[in-house]
Amino acid sequence: MVDHLANTEINSQRIAAVESCFGASGQPLALPGRVLLGEGVLTKECRKKAKPRIFFLFNDILVYGSIVLSKRKYRSQHIIPLEEVTLEPLPETLQAKNRWMIKTAKKSFVVSAASTTERQEWISHIEECVRRQLLATGRQPTTEHAAPWIPDKATDICMRCTQTRFSALTRRHHCRKCGFVVCAECSRERFLLPRLSPKPLRVCSLCYRELAAQKRREEAREGIGGSPPQLSHLGGTVCGASSGDDDDSDEDREGNGDGDWPTQVEFYASGVSWSAFHS
C-alpha cells in the first residue's frame, strides 16, 4: 500500500488537504515517499477533560490537532515520529472503554476510539508502521517513556501527602516525572530532566528524592564526588511539560511530604475506578 501510493497524485492531494486544514500555523507535511494512510477522530484524555482530536497516520509520522471545524480547519498541530512511538492497550473499565496509550520519550497520553473494532484497527496500523519505520531507520524501540498526566478529576486530594484538598484556591499541579496530581507544597522542587526540557521541571517530593539519590549514585560511580544536588525553588513559568495535554502548557504560570502513595502506581493499567483516588 505504501509503495503503491508513494509519489502519486492522489496522495499529494490528500496531504495538501491536511496542510490546508492546519493553515499557516501547521508545519509542511509533504515529503518524498511520505504517504497518508488514514485519518479519524479519537478522544484524547486531557488534563481537565476528554476532548475529540483529529489524528492522521502517515507511514513515518503521527499527526494530531484540535478540531475547529470538521474537515475544514484544525489547530495545535502535533507531529510524532513513529520510530519513537510505543503503544499500550489499556484495560476496560465501566467509565472508559476502547482506550490505549501512545507513549514516547517526551510525551505520553491516552486516547480512545468509538468501538473495539476501530481501536484494534488504529493499533494494528500504527504498530505496523512503527515496525516498518524502525527497520528503515535501524533504530531500536524506545524503552524510556514520559509518564502520562493523571487527569485532574481523578482525585480531589494531593496524591502524595493525601492531606491537601484541592479547591478553587488550592490548585492542582502535575509531577513531570510520575504524572501524579499533587499540591504546591508537595511539588516545590525542580529537577533537570534532559529528555523533556533543557530547563529544570516541577517534580513531586518523592520523585525528587529518587532522582537526587540516583544522581548521587551516578556521580559516585564516576568518581566525581562533590555535594548532592540542591533544592531549586524556582518561581515563574515551568516550561516543557513532560506529558500533559496540548492545551495545558500554561498549567504552572503563576513542604515536602513523605507521601502515602507508592512511587510507581500503575494508574492507567490498574483498572481502578477514579473514585478510588478520592478521599
Side-chain angles (χ1 to χ4, degrees), residues 51-113:
K51 301 175 183 178
R53 294 287 185 260
I54 184 69
F55 280 77
F56 299 94
L57 176 61
F58 295 80
N59 59 319
D60 62 335
I61 57 174
L62 183 66
V63 177
Y64 71 93
S66 303
I67 302 170
V68 179
L69 187 61
S70 181
K71 298 186 181 298
R72 296 285 297 277
K73 184 173 178 60
Y74 307 126
R75 63 177 177 83
S76 302
Q77 183 193 76
H78 293 258
I79 300 176
I80 305 175
L82 285 179
E83 64 266 24
E84 300 176 5
V85 169
T86 301
L87 301 186
E88 178 185 342
L90 298 177
E92 301 285 283
T93 70
L94 293 176
Q95 295 89 352
K97 299 181 182 299
N98 306 319
R99 303 185 307 162
W100 71 97
M101 190 182 301
I102 298 175
K103 303 191 294 186
T104 74
K106 292 186 176 182
K107 184 181 182 69
S108 299
F109 54 91
V110 174
V111 295
S112 60

Side-chain angles (χ1 to χ4, degrees), residues 26-47:
Q27 297 184 37
L29 298 173
L31 284 178
R34 175 170 288 170
V35 176
L36 176 58
L37 298 175
E39 65 181 84
V41 176
L42 299 173
T43 300
K44 180 175 179 290
E45 292 189 7
C46 304
R47 175 179 156 240

